[in-house]
Amino acid sequence: MRYLHTMVRVSDLDASLDFYVNKLGLEEVRRMENEKGRFTLVFLATPEDAKRIRAQGSTQLAVESPAIELTYNWDEKGYAGGRNFGHLAYRVADIYAVCQKLMDGGVTINRPPRDGRMAFIVSPDGISVELLQKGDALPLVEPWTSMPNSGSW
C-alpha cells in the first residue's frame, strides 16, 4: 500500500491556491478540469516532491507522489459539517483482495470496487479512505460488480 493524497474541498480556488502556494510554499504538480462533473482538481506537493516530479518529467510520478488534492466544485456555495475534508487515498496492489480482507475483518465497503479500480471505506471516526488499484483496473468480477453502495463516504 502507498499513501497518495489527502483531498480537501475548497469554496474559493484562487484564495486556496494563494494560501497553499503563495503562503505555505506548496507547488502545483497536476490539474484536472472536469466540465461534465463541474469540478476542478489541483494537486499540490512540497517543493522537494515537485522538483523530483519535474526532474523525471513523469505525469505518473505526479499521480503517485504524496500530495494535497484541492477539489473545487463549481456549483458549491459553502461546506457545513466538515464536508470540506474529503478523504485519504492509498494505492493497493489488489483492490479485491484488500476489500475482502477488510470485509472479513468487519469493515463495511461503502463504495465497492465495481469498476475494478476504486473503493471507499470509512474509519471508526468517520474519515473516508479511498483505495485505488495500482496500474490498470482489474477485470470486473462478482460479488463486487453488483454490490450496492452502503452509507456515505
Side-chain angles (χ1 to χ4, degrees), residues 43-101:
F43 290 83
L44 305 174
T46 64
E48 294 82 4
D49 284 327
K51 182 178 178 182
R52 185 172 48 89
I53 291 165
R54 283 192 288 277
Q56 294 190 15
S58 168
T59 56
Q60 185 61 32
L61 189 58
V63 171
E64 295 179 353
S65 294
I68 293 176
E69 170 191 331
L70 301 183
T71 297
Y72 174 63
N73 295 298
W74 302 350
D75 300 320
E76 185 68 39
K77 300 300 178 212
Y79 295 105
R83 279 208 10 93
N84 60 327
F85 175 78
H87 60 262
L88 303 175
Y90 291 90
R91 182 183 66 212
V92 299
D94 182 336
I95 197 160
Y96 295 145
V98 169
C99 286
Q100 188 62 57
K101 180 181 176 187

Side-chain angles (χ1 to χ4, degrees), residues 101-120:
K101 180 181 176 187
L102 289 164
M103 282 179 51
D104 291 347
V107 175
T108 299
I109 307 299
N110 299 89
R111 194 283 191 189
R114 288 183 297 274
D115 56 3
R117 183 181 181 288
M118 177 180 65
F120 275 90

Side-chain angles (χ1 to χ4, degrees), residues 2-5 10 19 22 43 45 50 56 62 71 78 80 83 85 87 94-95 98 106 110 118 128 145-146 149 152:
R2 180 180 172 105
Y3 175 77
L4 296 176
H5 63 263
V10 299
F19 172 78
N22 297 332
F43 290 83
Q56 294 190 15
T71 297
R83 279 208 10 93
F85 175 78
H87 60 262
D94 182 336
I95 197 160
V98 169
N110 299 89
M118 177 180 65
S128 293
T145 55
S146 60
N149 291 341
S152 61

Side-chain angles (χ1 to χ4, degrees), residues 18-26 68:
D18 179 59
F19 172 78
Y20 287 104
V21 174
N22 297 332
K23 295 179 174 80
L24 192 58
L26 299 179
I68 293 176

